[in-house]
Amino acid sequence: MRARARVVVERGPDGRSVVRELRSQPPLTLLPQRGAAAARSAAATVHMIGSASSPLGGDDVALDVEIGPGADLELTGVAATLALPGQAGRPSRLVVRLRVAEGAGLQFLPEPTVVTARADHHTELHAELGDGARLRCRDVLVAGRNGEPSGRYRGLVHVRDGTRPLLVQEQELGDAGLQGSAAHLAGRRVLGTEVLVWGEDPADAVAGDWWSLCPLPGRGCLASAVGPDAVAARRALAAAAAAHPGWSTTALRTSAALR
């Protein structure tokens, strides 16, 4: 299955962010938030919905996101993704391209991806940030369903601040020796990472139980966490994000505004 999806968000004359273009097709369907919840926020919210069994081996899916100057978008998943083997023996592939213009903000928050036994799933995420752009980008990988070994997963994350690279990272699942290593999963099933390019960064790296927050060259931080399940890993990621001065200040302001 080959599918393409695209969302473009711009800042309107009233200061609110507006979805100007929205195109998608199964297995990835994009739906904008509407109603009272959308009216309360100046940012746009779009939900990513899996509308077919995917990714299956051989699937080729791409998502392009463009945020205009000063606009804000929260792009969220609604359910976990199951990477499954296909009959053709080919890998499945997902490529995400994020372009965030000057002064704009993007939260890219998909739900966890479960790499099932015999799956072979490849992903790429490329993010380009303009001057003063903000990015929060989360990725949670689960090595197999409960009681089964992980399939093969390879992922690339490439974040650029203008012409300067902030982060180039490769991730891999499916190697039992690697997953047992203290430098990788330490025997745990779930790996969570979150890129935070969002205001003030900590002066030094910070770490807690099963999580770390490390400043990137230039600006931004990478939060990493491992856990026995997705819930524990996401809690650890939340603890790492709370240690980030820029993001924690924004989260407190948002919470106060909703009261």
Side-chain angles (χ1 to χ4, degrees), residues 89-228:
R90 294 177 295 162
S92 52
R93 178 178 171 85
L94 170 65
V95 178
V96 178
R97 297 181 180 87
L98 311 174
R99 299 176 182 86
V100 190
E102 60 271 16
L106 170 63
Q107 296 186 60
F108 180 65
L109 307 173
E111 290 297 298
T113 297
V114 182
V115 185
T116 65
R118 297 185 297 107
D120 187 2
H121 186 45
H122 298 183
T123 69
E124 294 181 22
L125 186 143
H126 302 272
E128 299 177 8
L129 307 181
D131 186 29
R134 291 161 289 120
L135 175 68
R136 179 188 177 204
C137 184
R138 184 175 68 207
D139 188 23
V140 177
L141 298 168
V142 183
R145 291 171 288 199
N146 189 35
E148 77 173 5
S150 173
R152 189 166 182 79
Y153 170 85
R154 291 182 178 178
L156 168 68
V157 177
H158 189 186
V159 182
R160 299 179 65 87
D161 186 20
T163 59
R164 175 180 56 184
L166 290 183
L167 174 67
V168 179
Q169 176 175 269
E170 293 186 4
Q171 298 169 319
E172 185 172 343
L173 295 178
D175 183 307
L178 182 63
Q179 288 176 204
S181 166
H184 192 53
L185 293 190
R188 297 197 157 200
R189 290 180 56 236
V190 183
L191 169 64
T193 57
E194 190 164 312
V195 180
L196 282 165
V197 185
W198 205 285
E200 181 185 357
D201 296 310
D204 300 298
V206 186
D209 290 338
W210 299 103
W211 63 264
S212 65
L213 181 70
C214 299
L216 299 172
R219 65 183 180 121
C221 283
L222 175 65
S224 302
V226 295

Side-chain angles (χ1 to χ4, degrees), residues 56-107:
L56 294 171
D59 283 357
D60 179 9
V61 180
L63 170 63
D64 287 286
V65 181
E66 290 192 15
I67 317 296
D72 285 277
L73 171 65
E74 184 171 332
L75 189 57
T76 67
V78 298
T81 296
L82 288 178
L84 300 165
Q87 295 181 349
R90 294 177 295 162
S92 52
R93 178 178 171 85
L94 170 65
V95 178
V96 178
R97 297 181 180 87
L98 311 174
R99 299 176 182 86
V100 190
E102 60 271 16
L106 170 63
Q107 296 186 60

